Structures are given as C-alpha cells and as structure tokens.
C-alpha cells in the first residue's frame, strides 16, 4: 500500500469514526427532522397543529398533531372524524397532572389513547379503543397529557410504555 493510499484509508477511517461518534449511543435513529412544537398551521377543524416526536427503542417517529387546549376542544376531541392519517393525531395537554379518563362516544374510528407523564414518558397505551364505547379508558396514574393516534398504530411502530413523547404548545 502506498503512502497516498494509506492516507486516504486513514482519512476515511477518521471520518467514519467521527460519524459514529455523532450517532445516539442507545441505537435510536436521529430525530430525522422532528422538531417538537414546531408550528404546522391550523387543521380543518380550526385547531393549532404542532409537530410531536415519539422516541422509541429503535427510532424517533414524527407526527403533526392538533392541540386540544381548551375544555371545549378537549370535550370534542376526535369525535365524528372518519379517518386519521398515520402521521396525524391529537394531543390533550393538561395544566396540571391528573388521572385522565376518556371515552369513545361519537368517535367513529378506533384510536390508540396514549397517556403521557409530566416527564414525557408514556405511562400506558389503550390500543384500538372501541368506537362509540361509553366505557371509560383511564390512566393508571396522574398524567400531563394524552395523545391520540390511529388505532393500532402504536403497536405497528413499536411504541410502548416508557417511550418518550416531546411537544410544546403555546
């Protein structure tokens, strides 16, 4: 191997090492452009939309969610919707952590109801909730927010209790 070839190989090895040093140590993929809380305009329902990131064991998932901030917005939630895209959802932030209870009255599609602690970790997931059900879906402990996604999506993406949810609302 000539000195020139050795130098090129060394430069490549150094570049590869530097790239590896910038990768997350726990095997997660980089956030891939997910900026929690980035404004995403208004939804057709008139709600503020923001970017929300869920970091699971293997990657970070990016969603554009509607922020249901007021009591009226939270009471209506995703009722009467006939579809929900895989990259969409709704976040219900609470001013103070509390036991959260949701039902599916007038909700046409199955949802995954994800209960989020104040530190952003997922407390529990009620998957594929039953449309129109009046049976309460309740968190197991006080939570700071609830995230709703298309029913079954959390399992499909490998999102589980303990994963991290990041968002901000204004």
């Amino acid at each position: 191997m000539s000195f020139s070839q050795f130098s090129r190989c060394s430069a490549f090895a150094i570049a590869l090492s530097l790239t590896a040093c910038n990768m997350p140590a726990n095997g997660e993929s980089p956030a891939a452009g997910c900026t929690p809380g980035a404004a995403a305009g208004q939804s057709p329902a008139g709600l503020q939309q923001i970017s929300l990131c869920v970091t699971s064991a293997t990657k970070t998932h990016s969603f554009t969610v509607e922020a249901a901030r007021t009591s009226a917005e939270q009471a209506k939630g995703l009722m009467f919707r006939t579809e929900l895209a895989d990259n969409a959802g709704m976040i219900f932030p609470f001013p103070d952590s509390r036991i959260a209870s949701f039902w599916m009255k007038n909700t046409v599609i199955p949802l995954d109801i994800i209960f989020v602690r104040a530190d952003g970790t997922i407390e529990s997931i009620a998957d594929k909730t039953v449309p129109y059900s009046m049976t309460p879906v309740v968190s197991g402990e006080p939570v700071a927010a609830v995230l709703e996604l298309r029913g079954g999506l959390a399992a499909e993406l490998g999102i589980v209790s303990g994963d991290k949810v990041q968002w901000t609302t204004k």
Side-chain angles (χ1 to χ4, degrees), residues 134-152:
M134 301 284 284
T135 303
V137 178
V138 183
S139 63
E141 63 186 65
V143 294
V146 172
L147 171 62
E148 292 182 339
L149 301 175
R150 177 186 57 79

Side-chain angles (χ1 to χ4, degrees), residues 19-83:
T19 301
C21 289
N22 288 327
M23 294 300 289
N26 61 2
E28 294 173 6
S29 64
C34 189
T35 305
Q42 260 191 336
S43 71
L47 298 177
Q48 173 195 21
Q49 294 184 113
I50 57 168
S51 193
L52 178 141
C53 312
V54 179
T55 303
S56 66
T58 58
K59 67 186 295 186
T60 297
H61 308 279
S62 180
F63 300 94
T64 298
V65 298
E66 295 174 84
R69 295 178 312 235
T70 68
S71 297
E73 291 168 347
Q74 291 184 357
K76 185 172 181 186
L78 291 170
M79 288 182 179
F80 309 109
R81 307 279 181 99
T82 57
E83 60 187 10

